[in-house]
Amino acid sequence: MGAQIEAPIRVWNWLNVSWVGFFTFLGVANLYVAQSFSEETWVKFKLFGVMGLMFVFMIGQGLFLTKYLDKTGHHKEEE
């Protein structure tokens, strides 16, 4: 993605940490739902809840990255 998005290293680091945090949250939520609710509820959470959370998270990441997109449409050539 570095060819299409020029962002400072702190932005890339923040994105990496946010993905780690998001998946950690999903793991903890999955364990909680699996241990606290019926198997049917857990399956619905895995199918709809996780998919919905992932969609919202990815949309948020995309919106955050829009200010770093190359507005000209040209990609930098690697030398």
Side-chain angles (χ1 to χ4, degrees):
M1 281 184 20
Q4 290 81 22
I5 301 173
E6 292 184 39
I9 191 72
R10 65 177 173 73
V11 171
W12 292 117
N13 288 338
W14 184 86
L15 287 172
N16 288 333
V17 169
S18 67
W19 278 98
V20 168
F22 177 70
F23 281 114
T24 301
F25 167 76
L26 280 183
V28 170
N30 181 51
L31 289 173
Y32 175 75
V33 172
Q35 297 296 319
S36 302
F37 297 95
S38 69
E39 184 177 359
E40 180 181 348
T41 301
W42 175 70
V43 170
K44 288 179 181 178
F45 170 75
K46 291 284 285 184
L47 181 61
F48 301 110
V50 171
M51 188 184 333
L53 290 170
M54 179 71 75
F55 181 73
V56 169
F57 181 75
M58 289 172 53
I59 294 297
Q61 293 279 309
L63 292 173
F64 175 75
L65 287 173
T66 56
K67 61 183 163 188
Y68 299 105
L69 288 174
D70 181 11
K71 304 286 192 250
T72 64
H74 297 101
H75 302 297
K76 287 178 38 176
E77 297 292 328
E78 292 188 29
E79 299 176 15

